[in-house]
Amino acid sequence: MTKMDVQIGSWITLHHMAIAEIMAGAGFQWLCLDLEHSVIDYYGMQVMLSSIQSKGVQAYVRVGGNNAMMIKRVLDAGADGIICPMINTAEQAKQLVAHAKYPPVGTRGVGLARAQYYGLDEGFEKYRESKALEIQIIAQIEHHEAIRNLQSILDVDGIDGTFIGPYDLSGSMGKPGQYEDADVQAQIEQYEKLASGSGKKMGFHVIQPQAQLLQEKINKGYNFIAFSIDTLFLGQSCRQEMNQLKNIIS
């Protein structure tokens, strides 16, 4: 794998357009707006999608669940891709694809919103024949059942990649946060073994903003990596600078 194969993004949870603009200008190849564990609403999501895409950066949305209505609204707002939590079976993966794809492949309903240029100038047909075909569908693997069914999930047409969630995975085993536990490590290694040979995106979220941690994941074959999160970039930078200031003025 070359460096060109690796796509580095980050995670946005703060509900403000300025956050999206600042991070989109930082050099990331993609950014993900989190609708599962944040207070970002649909209106704010669309505004931030526009801000991100105006910088030439891909904009993903982590939806709150495998829900047709939620996925439809996110895609109609113009998202380049979706990341969906708790996909544990091939059947759930097929449902996810169906929610995101227009007939005859899927069951996505037709709307005339931002993605379809609000219906103007044959906007729907332009969207259906181009961007709608390029939407990236990423299944989160974060349960021991998903590891057991991983190969069948990877085999589902329309699933463009997977994204492991170690914390929820360890929690599903009754060992939340115990990443070094032998059983948890075995599950993660099984994920890496199968996902790395799938030819699809293999994702991981490196929470701490430390470049060496990201390099370790690249060395393991991960090629779709979220590097830290808006709150940590902000919080850690503030604390580091204040600690230095305290040393100067003390």
Side-chain angles (χ1 to χ4, degrees), residues 9-27:
S10 192
W11 221 254
I12 297 178
T13 63
L14 297 176
H15 189 176
H16 202 287
M17 183 184 73
I19 297 293
E21 285 188 316
I22 290 168
M23 293 187 70

Side-chain angles (χ1 to χ4, degrees), residues 222-249:
Y222 289 92
N223 55 17
F224 185 69
I225 305 174
F227 185 46
S228 200
I229 188 170
D230 51 4
T231 51
L232 278 181
F233 281 127
L234 175 62
Q236 290 197 12
S237 177
C238 289
R239 293 182 181 194
Q240 287 169 3
E241 295 305 317
M242 284 306 299
N243 285 336
Q244 290 188 29
L245 182 58
K246 289 175 184 177
N247 291 331
I248 293 172
I249 64 177

Side-chain angles (χ1 to χ4, degrees), residues 43-59:
Y43 175 76
M45 172 200 66
Q46 178 166 302
V47 172
M48 289 194 285
L49 284 175
S50 178
S51 296
I52 293 167
Q53 291 166 337
S54 71
K55 301 286 189 180
V57 178
Q58 279 201 314

